[in-house]
Amino acid sequence: MAKDGSEMGINTRLAHSGNNPRDYFGFVNPPVVHASTVLYPDAASMAARSQKYTYGTRGTPTTDALALAVDALEGSAGTIVVPSGLAAVTIPLLTFVSAGDHLLIVDSVYHPTRNFADTMLKRLGVEVEYYDPYVGAGIAALIKPNTKVVFTESPASNTFEVQDIPAIAKAARAACAIVMMDNTWATPLYFKPLDHGVDISIHAATKYPAGHSDVLLGTVSANEACWKQLYQGFCTLGCCSGPDDVYQVLRGLRTMGVRLEHHQKSALAIAAWLEGQPGVARVLHPALPSHPDYALWKRDFCGSSGIFSVVLKGGGQRQQHAFLDALKIFGLGYSWGGYESLAVPVFLGDRMIAKGPYDGPLIRLQIGLEDVEDLKADIMRGLEAAAAI
Ligand SMILES: *Cc1c(COP(=O)(O)O)cnc(C)c1O
């Protein structure tokens, strides 16, 4: 089974998609092809580039194995593999927007995406506008004749608002705008963007696909209408990835289903428990029935991952720092999706619309694969330290 097999269960597809062992003497895993030069048998085939692989930057059996595995999950026409999650954001944007185009970006977007739009894209003459994550079908009123792309990310970075992706995609499609979605939080296991009208699905494979905090990689998957242009942009920019990293992500993908189930279960247990703890104002996790976006999450998603935020009751940066400094198991570090728990202070100073108000400082928690009781005890240390200020 290679590209197809969409009728199979998700863990079956994770285990078998991408490569066919029979292509390489029956070895279960594909080869790690270190490649720049590819030889041609004769001048005519060289002139015509009439063979499957032509040069290392354009793809190898290793990158194909990962790209085809991701296609099987996303239902996409094609996937490019790029050196980081941030590159998975910047490459499709650079490929599809031009000077004079209008770009709509959700205000609760991953901060480096905003930074790229506000610096490079503005310098290149792109008109950038931020919209409310709760805009829904109201996006129609923001779309102009020169709107080229509507960029979405759901749930929101750090604050976890759920966007009405089908309503946004419908309005964008009616206006011939391309819809891109950063789907890193849900992975294609828990949300399939292309099934909801999105044209281009973006992932920081650094997170759950890699799963071990040791690889940076991104994937961008496109529907039939956008695939050719996306692949051309990828080749034009020369932003291919190293084969060892690509291989590590394919390896991670095989166990992503079981890891995610554990992240989901532990994160939900901790989030629900946190709602009842003194010193906690709110828990920003869309799969909690108390969350304002729960109905929307339940309608569109089929699971939740291991990252959410907690709002402390009152206080400010001193309480936030006291909480973080008291933690012994949670590490203080960026990124997420690995096996280990992490905590970061949330900064909302870049937001124009989706900035609260919140009752106190926000802390984002990535729930790793450790035992829930140990993580709860660690969080208690944080809450007690914050309360003691
Ligand atoms: C981490 C992240 C990225 C960037 O991934 P890197 O591999 O760290 O560059 C992009 N989008 C979202 C939502 C992320 O969380």
Side-chain angles (χ1 to χ4, degrees):
M1 180 178 60
K3 192 165 170 172
D4 207 10
S6 48
E7 74 286 355
M8 305 258 186
I10 193 70
N11 284 301
T12 309
R13 269 182 283 156
L14 283 168
H16 294 287
S17 296
N19 59 303
N20 181 356
R22 282 290 139 221
D23 290 345
Y24 296 98
F25 310 101
F27 290 108
V28 167
N29 291 300
V32 180
V33 177
H34 286 261
S36 53
T37 298
V38 184
L39 298 178
Y40 298 78
D42 49 51
S45 50
M46 196 168 197
R49 292 178 173 253
S50 61
Q51 61 185 25
K52 184 166 181 191
Y53 298 106
T54 54
Y55 191 60
T57 53
R58 303 175 72 91
T60 68
T62 313
T63 57
D64 274 359
L66 178 59
L68 290 172
V70 174
D71 283 337
L73 300 175
E74 293 276 352
S76 43
T79 292
I80 57 169
V81 180
V82 298
S84 68
L86 183 53
V89 169
T90 60
I91 289 160
L93 283 172
L94 265 182
T95 298
F96 284 91
V97 297
S98 309
D101 284 347
H102 177 235
L103 166 64
L104 282 165
I105 302 182
V106 65
D107 188 50
S108 48
V109 77
Y110 175 64
H111 176 76
T113 301
R114 177 191 298 271
N115 181 54
F116 172 70
D118 287 348
T119 56
M120 276 202 192
L121 290 184
K122 279 191 182 165
R123 194 197 77 218
L124 294 173
V126 177
E127 187 192 342
V128 179
E129 181 179 345
Y130 294 93
Y131 66 87
D132 189 329
Y134 290 130
V135 73
I139 196 83
L142 302 177
I143 294 176
K144 309 194 220 182
N146 62 334
T147 303
K148 190 65 192 276
V149 170
V150 177
F151 194 96
T152 66
E153 179 183 335
S154 182
S157 259
N158 298 325
T159 46
F160 302 94
E161 295 93 333
V162 178
Q163 291 193 254
D164 190 340
I165 297 291
I168 291 170
K170 193 170 165 214
R173 189 154 289 186
C176 294
I178 292 164
V179 181
M180 299 184 185
M181 179 176 181
D182 186 331
N183 189 37
T184 300
W185 183 86
T187 82
L189 272 58
Y190 294 158
F191 187 83
K192 283 182 70 177
L194 273 53
D195 287 357
H196 291 86
V198 171
D199 298 291
I200 293 182
S201 172
I202 290 164
H203 289 277
T206 304
K207 310 288 168 53
Y208 294 111
H212 294 74
S213 306
D214 52 0
V215 182
L216 290 160
L217 210 74
T219 62
V220 190
S221 304
N223 60 14
E224 202 68 54
C226 292
W227 167 240
K228 210 170 150 202
Q229 191 175 344
L230 179 69
Y231 181 67
Q232 268 166 7
F234 167 76
C235 293
T236 302
L237 288 164
C239 43
C240 51
S241 308
D244 296 304
D245 290 345
V246 175
Y247 181 84
Q248 288 297 343
V249 170
L250 184 65
R251 189 181 206 266
L253 216 56
R254 304 304 186 197
T255 59
M256 187 167 79
V258 289
R259 285 187 285 109
L260 264 177
E261 257 176 58
H262 195 93
H263 285 292
Q264 166 166 244
K265 197 162 138 248
S266 299
L268 268 175
I270 291 170
W273 165 80
L274 262 171
E275 286 194 296
Q277 295 308 308
V280 172
R282 273 175 75 191
V283 180
L284 308 179
H285 188 318
L288 286 177
S290 61
H291 192 278
D293 303 345
Y294 176 73
L296 199 54
W297 170 80
K298 206 169 165 55
R299 186 192 73 185
D300 293 346
F301 288 72
C302 49
S304 59
S305 62
I307 184 166
F308 64 89
S309 288
V310 55
V311 184
L312 299 185
K313 203 177 270 171
Q317 198 187 59
R318 281 176 67 229
Q319 283 75 10
Q320 185 188 47
H321 284 193
F323 179 104
L324 293 167
D325 289 340
L327 299 171
K328 293 193 167 119
I329 297 173
F330 283 82
L332 308 189
Y334 292 102
S335 203
W336 41 277
Y339 55 85
E340 83 291 15
S341 291
L342 296 170
V344 295
V346 171
F347 171 74
L348 296 177
D350 61 339
R351 300 272 177 100
M352 295 149 86
I353 304 158
K355 56 187 176 187
Y358 292 99
D359 295 332
L362 274 68
I363 291 160
R364 192 187 76 191
L365 299 174
Q366 124 90 3
I367 305 302
L369 301 177
E370 302 96 330
D371 294 304
V372 164
E373 290 312 312
D374 296 333
L375 296 178
K376 282 185 184 170
D378 207 33
I379 292 169
M380 277 311 294
R381 280 190 275 273
L383 288 173
E384 281 162 12
I389 295 285

